[in-house]
Amino acid sequence: MESTNDRILDFDREGTVDPNIVAELPKGCHVVSTENHGISFWGHTGRINVELADATPLSFFIKAVPKERGRDMVHGEFESMKAIYTLLPDFVPKPIAWGTYNNIPDMHFLLCEYREMTEEMPDPHKFAARLATLHQKSISPTGKFGFHMTTYSGNLPQMNDWEESWEDFFAKSMRMALELEVKAKGPHPELDNLVSIIFDKVIPRLLRPLETDGRSVKPSLVHGDLWYANSGLDVETGESLVFDACCFYAHNEYEFGQWRPICNRFGDEYLAAYHSYIQISPPEEDYNGRLDLYKLRFNTHVSALFTENHTLREQMLNDMRDLVHRFG
């Protein structure tokens, strides 16, 4: 019996790619083959190999995710990748299209340029220069923090409503992540008290000084989930690339909350390189506390994503205990 997975990418049969995907490929090209490529927790990923009308070979990356949530996920990722590509076309694979299958109406796809990548870590200064350029060149279309649509980190949505204040935006984003985590893992006897102090004391203590006494925060386009597995080195150029973006406009240092967990491979040398291009936001003495607060936001969302992993909840609680002890 033909499996749904076979129908999604048709790995072993020539010329049977869904017509709605074919419509997004270069006119006059011929599909040579399809194959599994990469890993996704939330959908199917593959490679489509074609021959252009002039016989030039070319490949495309495809991600397919089911149901209404899948439609929202690929749409959000397309808009995120497009936002980065518009600013720095050499930093991401070119996004081509997103849409819904003709033959599987409940399946949705993201189509991108295919770039062969290695899993090597990039040169800290080259990578930091590109990331700093993204943060510096980006301009929020509203002048506020947020994004024009919901984006998904994993298969869970992020709060992207426009907000004037970074403190207000972060608090709402953090609260949504916590609601998703409690829905996934259930209540905890210590959580309510910790959460109350985080919102009443810790967030104002660490984020309000960024926007008082004449200081302000520029809304910068952030990748949104920039851990090492969402980056790679282009085999052809040797330059760094990022993918799987879930963008919004944020405090640029928010990006580095994802670099704090122990599983991270973007070490201190990457932060040092980045801050050779963009200085630490004042007040500098709050820098480590801010990054630990941003780490809590990432770890909360990750705990919500992986419902059976209770170590992730304990990690989140430890983050809270530490922040409450230091700043509560």
Side-chain angles (χ1 to χ4, degrees), residues 134-152:
L134 174 69
H135 292 163
Q136 287 176 316
K137 281 183 67 175
S138 54
I139 299 173
S140 167
T142 65
K144 300 178 182 180
F145 301 95
F147 203 59
H148 63 275
M149 65 176 299
T150 301
T151 55
Y152 282 68

Side-chain angles (χ1 to χ4, degrees), residues 221-239:
L221 186 70
V222 295
H223 175 284
D225 189 20
L226 192 53
W227 67 305
Y228 71 89
N230 284 344
S231 71
L233 287 182
D234 188 305
V235 169
E236 187 176 325
T237 66
E239 298 295 336

